[in-house]
Amino acid sequence: MNTPILSDEKQTHLAHVILTNVAGMSEVKIIGDSAHALREVKRVLAEHMKAEEELVQKVRSRLQSYARQIPEGSQEWDVLYQKTYQEELRKRNLS
């Protein structure tokens, strides 16, 4: 699975939405160049997307390593995928 979870265009759009909403908060004041703030939001977003892709790949590899092949998309696959995904999140202290 080498396809990104979100395309670059979608990540850019999401970064703009995040920055617009954060800038609109009374508790937040953006100091400096808004272009720099946007680049930082995009960097953090890309970092999280990369971590998510790695997590998804690890879960898929683990399920595909089972001796008995489980058809992807089946109810059993979905249940095992969610269980394995949650286990990996716990291991990474992300849940």
Side-chain angles (χ1 to χ4, degrees):
M1 179 177 183
N2 295 331
T3 315
I5 294 172
L6 290 176
S7 69
D8 186 53
E9 294 81 19
K10 288 181 181 178
Q11 288 181 36
T12 298
H13 174 71
L14 187 55
H16 280 279
V17 170
I18 291 168
L19 186 58
T20 299
N21 284 300
V22 168
M25 297 174 144
S26 60
E27 303 89 4
V28 176
K29 181 178 180 186
I30 296 177
I31 300 172
D33 185 16
S34 63
H36 177 68
L38 182 61
R39 282 191 304 274
E40 186 63 17
V41 170
K42 288 173 71 173
R43 183 193 66 75
V44 170
L45 191 55
E47 200 174 277
H48 282 277
M49 291 295 102
K50 182 179 179 193
E52 176 69 13
E53 286 181 54
E54 290 170 359
L55 180 64
V56 165
Q57 188 59 35
K58 181 161 185 156
V59 170
R60 292 172 72 70
S61 294
R62 191 164 153 199
L63 292 180
Q64 290 168 347
S65 73
Y66 289 172
R68 183 177 64 84
Q69 293 299 307
I70 303 161
E72 188 172 347
S74 68
Q75 184 176 8
E76 183 180 13
W77 172 276
D78 292 342
V79 169
L80 287 172
Y81 183 92
Q82 286 303 316
K83 179 182 174 203
T84 307
Y85 185 89
Q86 292 302 320
E87 287 174 8
E88 286 298 321
L89 285 178
R90 277 191 297 278
K91 285 180 189 176
R92 298 172 186 217
N93 294 321
L94 297 174
S95 64

